[in-house]
Amino acid sequence: NTMLYPEQTATRTVEDLSGMWEFKAETSKVDPQIPLTDTVWMSVPASFNDQTMDKQLRNHLGYFWYETTFNVPQDQLKKRNVLRFGAVSQSCEVYVNGEQVTTHVGGFTPFEVDVTHYLRAGANDLKVRVSNLLDNTTIPTADLKKNDDGSYKLNTRFDFYNYCGIHRRVKLYTTNKTHIEHIEVNYDTEGAKTTVHPVINVSGNYDHADVSIVDEDRQVVAKGSSLTGSLEISHTHRWKPLHAYLYELVINLYNQNDELLDTYTQEFGVRTIEVKDDHFLINGEPFYFKGFGRHEDSLAHGKGENMPLVNMDYQIMKWMGANSFRTSHYPYSEEAMRQADREGFVVIDECPAVGIYETFNVSLGGNGDFPKGNTWDHLDTMDNHKRALREMIERDHDHPSVVMWSVANEPASHEKGAHEYFKEIIDYTRKLDPQKRPITMVNIMMANVDKDLVGDLLDVICLNRYYGWYVNFDDLEGAKHDLETELVKWHEKFPEKPVMFTEFGADTVAGLHSLLHAPYSEEYQIDYYKANFAIFDKLDFVQGEQLWNFADFTTDSGMIRIGAENMKGVFTRDRRPKGIVGYLRDRWLNLKKD
Ligand code: E9O
């Protein structure tokens, strides 16, 4: 399976099928051979949920149908035609002219299928049957029950709203029979010298090839005449945090008559990553993570692509002095990742393994039965977890912005069986990544330092901690004490590992003020963060602070989810700053920790 981003080149065409599609919930059997009936219009890419005023449709659990038609010029049928989806949440079946052409499980990674033999010159019909169901085998996980009338009841083990739909772009692209299938831009560095030894897989026959590296001034800095040789950049511009530098690897394939069969350009950056003496080094220099956990979540789009907002968020983060973020809790769009490369953001790339913790989230406003027992005896996520990791790494391994993989968020890493499970997951991840990046897993408060069973497997200890919110509520002195006590113990247990925060925060209603600095007020959020920072600043081994969350985001409704939002944002969902923002900007622009 290839994960090359679809690009129009001298040998490839790309057509974007985004637009207004027809849509309906599946309430009785649908025949993919005939046009859908009783549909409404739905914009693609986007979640369907917030584009309707029909609450029952918004919250429907099960299957949905999308349909569009598109025209194919006669000549295009001589080429290889590939249909490619950026992401469909959570799983889907795809039909072209009534025939099923592929299926895909997992809502946050791309997939594609060769549809050449299903297409006709002129009008073609495309239908997608989408499901928003999750269960004990999927990533993310949820508790799923089927009612007697065939309807479903679903309790997610995560708090963000389970948006559904064709979330990223649908493209039809063409190549010749001979085409580049897969590229890895692997390299070694030695001072200013970089030796690039790309891995390039080709499908079909060709006679000869050339490969070159082009710098940002459009100058060719290295050139080779085969796909297997290595190329040398003698005076390398390193990709640096917030100072990006990108090269292009240009690959051309020719036949005997020197006719071009395929050409493709892959961007890459040169930087090194190393974990050493409880520090995280980028290009040999200690890097202190300042930034946020975020979500893909916005008005009307839901979890669908919204690049103007991504761009705005990146500019806000830079203005605040943030240098990094985590793709909590799933790989973000390819467009967002490419832009992170260009802006120089440092990214912890997280796979959608959130909620591998059977009893969790029921306590945080969910309304399912409270199960008792051991997660690792009941949940069966291994296969889907590996698939999600494989697809994420296949897609993202060449992004310079990605400095670390997060294999899961807040699993039951303190329950018996966790070590065996994560040993298998982490060994698998290490084999997949050609760049051998550090690997982490985000630790939940219940799996605190005394109970954790997986820390020895991780390169960096990432903590989600809520001293002063979920524990020590309205008791910031107690919070400081307990936070410091736990942190010191982590360092004693793993003195060689950096420790960083991937979540800490307090729900805050924008505009709510309190003389007593009561929880939920803007004053309390400021006090909460000051208390946490006071401890981080005391302890040298703390190597980063990513707040939860950049902005308020949509959740299921629940007692502690005011207006069905998690209000831990430092911005509201429409990006109005809360009182903490000025303080944070001041801190980050002046912080000297790395
Ligand atoms: C995951 C994130 O997606 N961590 C949650 C965040 C939250 O605000 C959620 O939005 O709920 C925090 C988990 C905290 C669990 C601690 C409970 C401690 C009781 C002892």
Coordinates of all heavy atoms in Angstrom, one line a residue, residues 291-294 326 328-329 348 350 404 406 409 440-443 461-466 500-504 544-548:
G291 N 3.8 24.0 24.1 CA 2.7 23.9 23.1 C 1.5 23.3 23.7 O 1.2 23.4 24.9
F292 N 0.8 22.5 22.9 CA -0.6 22.1 23.2 C -0.9 20.7 22.7 O -0.3 20.2 21.7 CB -1.6 23.0 22.6 CG -1.5 24.4 23.0 CD1 -0.8 25.3 22.2 CD2 -2.1 24.9 24.2 CE1 -0.7 26.7 22.6 CE2 -2.0 26.2 24.5 CZ -1.3 27.1 23.7
G293 N -1.8 20.0 23.4 CA -2.6 19.0 22.8 C -3.8 19.7 22.0 O -4.3 20.7 22.5
R294 N -4.1 19.2 20.9 CA -5.1 19.9 20.1 C -6.2 18.9 19.6 O -6.2 17.8 20.0 CB -4.5 20.6 18.9 CG -3.4 21.6 19.2 CD -2.6 22.0 18.0 NE -3.4 22.5 17.0 CZ -3.2 22.2 15.7 NH1 -2.3 21.4 15.3 NH2 -4.0 22.7 14.8
R326 N 1.0 18.0 20.0 CA 0.7 16.5 19.9 C -0.5 16.4 19.1 O -1.5 17.1 19.3 CB 0.6 15.9 21.3 CG 0.1 14.4 21.2 CD 0.1 13.8 22.6 NE -0.8 14.4 23.5 CZ -1.8 13.8 24.2 NH1 -1.9 12.5 24.0 NH2 -2.6 14.4 25.0
S328 N -3.1 14.9 19.3 CA -4.1 14.2 20.2 C -5.4 14.1 19.4 O -5.9 15.1 18.9 CB -4.2 14.9 21.5 OG -4.4 16.3 21.2
H329 N -6.1 13.0 19.4 CA -5.7 11.7 19.7 C -5.7 10.8 18.4 O -6.3 9.7 18.5 CB -6.6 11.1 20.7 CG -6.6 11.8 22.1 ND1 -5.4 12.0 22.8 CD2 -7.5 12.3 22.8 CE1 -5.7 12.7 23.9 NE2 -7.0 12.9 23.9
I348 N 4.5 15.6 18.0 CA 4.4 14.2 18.5 C 3.2 13.6 17.8 O 2.0 14.1 17.9 CB 4.1 14.2 20.0 CG1 5.3 15.0 20.7 CG2 4.0 12.8 20.6 CD1 5.1 15.1 22.2
E350 N 0.5 11.0 17.1 CA -0.2 10.0 17.9 C -1.2 9.2 17.1 O -1.9 9.7 16.3 CB -1.0 10.7 19.0 CG -1.7 9.8 20.0 CD -2.0 10.5 21.3 OE1 -1.1 10.6 22.2 OE2 -3.1 11.0 21.5
M404 N 8.5 12.2 17.2 CA 8.3 11.1 18.1 C 6.9 10.5 17.8 O 6.0 11.2 17.4 CB 8.3 11.6 19.6 CG 8.1 10.6 20.7 SD 8.9 11.0 22.2 CE 8.0 12.5 22.7
S406 N 3.6 8.6 19.3 CA 2.9 8.2 20.5 C 2.0 7.1 20.2 O 1.1 7.2 19.3 CB 2.0 9.4 21.0 OG 1.0 8.9 22.0
N409 N -2.9 6.9 23.9 CA -3.2 7.9 24.9 C -3.9 7.2 26.1 O -5.0 6.6 25.9 CB -4.0 9.0 24.4 CG -4.3 10.1 25.4 OD1 -3.5 10.9 25.8 ND2 -5.6 10.1 25.9
T440 N 6.9 7.0 22.5 CA 6.3 7.2 23.8 C 4.9 6.7 23.8 O 4.4 6.2 22.8 CB 6.3 8.7 24.2 OG1 6.0 8.9 25.5 CG2 5.3 9.5 23.3
M441 N 4.3 6.7 25.0 CA 2.9 6.4 25.2 C 2.5 7.3 26.3 O 3.2 7.6 27.3 CB 2.8 4.9 25.7 CG 1.4 4.4 25.8 SD 1.4 3.4 27.3 CE 1.2 4.6 28.6
V442 N 1.3 7.9 26.2 CA 0.9 8.9 27.1 C 0.2 8.3 28.4 O -0.8 7.5 28.2 CB 0.0 9.9 26.4 CG1 -0.6 10.9 27.4 CG2 0.8 10.7 25.4
N443 N 0.7 8.6 29.5 CA 0.3 8.0 30.8 C -0.8 8.7 31.5 O -0.8 9.9 31.6 CB 1.6 8.0 31.7 CG 1.3 7.4 33.1 OD1 0.7 8.1 33.9 ND2 1.8 6.2 33.3
I461 N 9.0 9.8 29.0 CA 7.8 9.7 29.8 C 6.9 10.9 29.6 O 7.2 12.0 29.9 CB 8.2 9.6 31.3 CG1 9.3 8.5 31.6 CG2 7.0 9.5 32.2 CD1 8.8 7.1 31.4
C462 N 5.7 10.6 29.0 CA 4.7 11.6 28.8 C 3.6 11.5 29.8 O 2.9 10.4 29.8 CB 4.2 11.6 27.4 SG 5.4 12.1 26.1
L463 N 3.3 12.6 30.5 CA 2.3 12.5 31.5 C 1.1 13.4 31.3 O 1.3 14.6 30.9 CB 2.9 12.9 32.9 CG 4.2 12.2 33.3 CD1 4.7 12.8 34.6 CD2 3.8 10.7 33.6
N464 N -0.1 12.9 31.5 CA -1.3 13.7 31.5 C -1.7 13.8 33.0 O -2.0 12.8 33.7 CB -2.5 13.0 30.8 CG -2.2 13.0 29.3 OD1 -1.2 13.6 28.8 ND2 -3.1 12.4 28.5
R465 N -1.5 15.0 33.6 CA -1.7 15.2 35.0 C -2.7 16.3 35.3 O -2.6 17.4 34.7 CB -0.4 15.4 35.7 CG 0.5 14.2 35.8 CD -0.2 13.1 36.6 NE 0.6 11.8 36.7 CZ 0.5 10.8 35.8 NH1 -0.2 10.9 34.7 NH2 1.2 9.7 35.9
Y466 N -3.6 16.1 36.3 CA -4.6 17.1 36.6 C -4.6 17.4 38.1 O -5.7 17.4 38.7 CB -6.0 16.5 36.1 CG -6.0 16.6 34.5 CD1 -5.6 15.5 33.8 CD2 -6.5 17.7 33.9 CE1 -5.6 15.6 32.4 CE2 -6.5 17.8 32.5 CZ -6.1 16.7 31.8 OH -6.1 16.8 30.4
M500 N 7.9 14.7 30.3 CA 7.2 15.9 29.8 C 5.7 15.8 30.0 O 5.2 14.7 30.2 CB 7.6 16.2 28.4 CG 7.1 15.2 27.4 SD 7.3 15.7 25.6 CE 6.0 16.9 25.4
F501 N 5.1 16.9 30.0 CA 3.6 16.9 30.1 C 2.9 17.0 28.8 O 3.2 17.9 28.0 CB 3.2 18.1 31.0 CG 3.6 17.8 32.5 CD1 4.9 17.9 32.9 CD2 2.6 17.4 33.3 CE1 5.2 17.6 34.2 CE2 2.9 17.0 34.6 CZ 4.2 17.1 35.1
T502 N 2.0 16.1 28.5 CA 1.3 16.1 27.3 C -0.2 16.6 27.6 O -0.9 16.8 26.6 CB 1.3 14.7 26.6 OG1 1.3 13.7 27.7 CG2 2.5 14.6 25.8
E503 N -0.6 16.6 28.8 CA -1.8 17.3 29.2 C -1.7 17.8 30.6 O -1.1 17.1 31.5 CB -3.0 16.2 29.2 CG -3.5 15.8 27.8 CD -4.7 14.9 27.9 OE1 -5.4 14.9 28.9 OE2 -4.9 14.2 26.9
F504 N -2.3 18.9 30.9 CA -2.6 19.4 32.2 C -3.5 20.6 32.0 O -3.3 21.3 31.0 CB -1.4 19.8 33.1 CG -0.4 20.8 32.5 CD1 -0.2 22.0 33.2 CD2 0.2 20.6 31.3 CE1 0.7 23.0 32.7 CE2 1.1 21.6 30.8 CZ 1.3 22.8 31.5
G544 N 9.2 19.4 29.0 CA 8.2 20.0 28.1 C 6.9 20.2 28.8 O 6.5 19.5 29.8
E545 N 6.1 21.1 28.2 CA 4.8 21.4 28.7 C 3.8 21.6 27.6 O 3.9 22.6 26.9 CB 4.9 22.7 29.6 CG 5.6 23.9 29.0 CD 6.0 25.0 30.0 OE1 6.7 24.6 31.0 OE2 5.5 26.1 29.9
Q546 N 3.0 20.7 27.4 CA 1.9 20.8 26.4 C 0.6 20.8 27.1 O 0.2 19.9 27.8 CB 2.0 19.7 25.3 CG 3.2 19.8 24.5 CD 3.2 18.8 23.3 OE1 2.6 17.8 23.3 NE2 4.0 19.1 22.3
L547 N -0.1 22.0 27.0 CA -1.3 22.2 27.8 C -2.5 21.5 27.2 O -2.5 21.2 26.0 CB -1.6 23.7 27.9 CG -0.8 24.6 28.8 CD1 0.7 24.6 28.4 CD2 -1.4 26.0 28.9
W548 N -3.5 21.2 28.0 CA -4.7 20.6 27.5 C -5.8 21.6 27.7 O -6.1 21.9 28.9 CB -5.1 19.3 28.2 CG -6.2 18.6 27.6 CD1 -7.5 18.5 28.0 CD2 -6.2 17.9 26.3 NE1 -8.3 17.8 27.1 CE2 -7.5 17.4 26.1 CE3 -5.1 17.6 25.4 CZ2 -7.8 16.7 24.9 CZ3 -5.5 16.9 24.2 CH2 -6.8 16.4 24.0

